[in-house]
Amino acid sequence: MPEDRSSPTRGRPRLRPAALPAPSPDTLDDTETRIYQSVVSGVMSQRLRPGTKLPEAALCELFGVGRSIVQKALQRLAHDHVVELRPNRGAIVAMPTREEIGKLFEARRALEAAILPLVAQSATRADYAALRRQLRDEHRAMHHAPQTEWARLASAFHLKLGELSRNPLLARYLMEVISRCALVVAIFQPPGNATCEHDEHARVVEYLEQGKIAQAIAEMDHHLRELESHIHLDEEQTELSLADMLGLG
């Protein structure tokens, strides 16, 4: 039987019985997604800290696949700014600088300031009713749900405003920026802090509904500056294994 050259354990005894068929392409795609989701989950839960090394060989061992699958997953993660791929040194969890974070939030403030007037122009009573229902869910989550749920609902509120702008390009750009902000906040904001303040969201909606565009923009700008100010770039060391950091331990 031909040697399995994709195995990370080449040269050691096979873990898979020789009689079993090779994984199908669909299985390999599923594993690539599982690697991607495991790393994202580890980052969002603060188990994987900035600068943590993600060796290809170790990932191959943990997930039981060859390097090509791991490399595809790492490329996806790099595309989404979750990891950095360093030539000849491998992948690490992304370590944004204070300047990079500042530029990211600067872009987000500009996008949301452009979106709000469009929301006020096109939103209907039904749209505002939907926003208020979303805010009620957000408020309940702040008091009863884990911080990761706050983050999801807070991001969903901003993404809904992007949708209500009726400008698909602005909404798409906002989605990308919010995804990057959510990662930065998850990594660097101390546990126990709301990623977005519910009352500030509510005031933005009130101003929009009243046609007070300048006040809505000012409230959103203040809100995003506050969010950025809660980000601390202190790097903590961890004694967890890579398997534990990926939730596989």
Side-chain angles (χ1 to χ4, degrees):
M1 183 173 180
E3 182 181 8
D4 182 0
R5 296 183 180 274
S6 67
S7 171
T9 57
R10 184 182 176 189
R12 287 180 280 171
R14 290 176 182 269
L15 299 179
R16 186 188 298 122
L20 292 182
S24 70
D26 289 344
T27 301
L28 295 179
D29 288 344
D30 289 346
T31 305
E32 178 191 327
T33 298
R34 191 159 73 93
I35 296 169
Y36 175 93
Q37 292 175 342
S38 295
V39 173
V40 171
S41 176
V43 169
M44 295 294 284
S45 64
Q46 298 188 348
R47 295 190 306 269
L48 277 171
R49 303 300 302 169
T52 301
K53 294 180 180 179
L54 299 171
E56 288 184 11
L59 293 172
C60 289
E61 185 80 24
L62 287 170
F63 290 93
V65 293
R67 285 185 182 271
S68 63
I69 301 301
V70 168
Q71 287 168 353
K72 287 180 181 178
L74 292 175
Q75 287 164 3
R76 283 179 60 188
L77 289 161
H79 178 269
D80 291 342
H81 307 279
V82 182
V83 306
E84 297 174 10
L85 298 180
R86 305 169 302 167
N88 304 316
R89 292 190 295 166
I92 62 170
V93 176
M95 296 179 63
T97 65
R98 174 59 66 184
E99 181 181 3
E100 289 169 338
I101 292 172
K103 295 296 183 184
L104 178 62
F105 274 88
E106 181 180 59
R108 181 169 175 180
R109 290 194 301 272
L111 276 171
E112 300 219 33
I115 281 169
L116 292 180
L118 298 177
V119 175
Q121 177 182 315
S122 63
T124 64
R125 286 187 177 182
D127 291 329
Y128 285 117
L131 279 172
R132 293 187 187 285
R133 286 194 297 273
Q134 197 163 333
L135 288 174
R136 287 195 291 272
D137 291 340
E138 181 183 294
H139 183 68
R140 284 194 293 269
M142 286 184 65
H143 294 280
H144 303 291
Q147 183 166 331
T148 51
E149 183 66 6
W150 299 352
R152 186 188 69 79
L153 288 170
S155 293
F157 169 78
H158 290 272
L159 292 172
K160 183 64 175 177
L161 291 177
E163 177 187 328
L164 292 177
S165 73
R166 309 293 197 265
N167 186 313
L169 284 177
L170 283 175
R172 189 178 73 191
Y173 297 150
L174 182 65
M175 180 181 295
E176 179 179 347
V177 169
I178 284 178
S179 295
R180 293 183 63 182
C181 284
L183 281 168
V184 168
V185 169
I187 295 170
F188 294 113
Q189 183 166 275
N193 290 281
T195 55
C196 271
E197 293 298 335
H198 171 81
D199 291 344
E200 293 170 357
H201 284 179
R203 284 194 292 272
V204 168
V205 173
E206 289 174 8
Y207 286 137
L208 288 174
E209 197 167 18
Q210 295 167 10
K212 297 179 179 179
I213 311 301
Q215 290 93 325
I217 292 173
E219 184 69 33
M220 182 65 80
D221 187 86
H222 170 76
H223 167 58
L224 294 175
R225 290 181 187 275
E226 280 291 302
L227 178 60
E228 182 181 359
S229 73
H230 293 158
I231 293 171
H232 301 286
L233 296 185
D234 297 333
E235 295 178 23
E236 298 178 1
Q237 300 298 317
T238 179
E239 296 182 358
L240 295 176
S241 68
L242 182 59
D244 288 333
M245 287 188 280
L246 290 170
L248 303 174

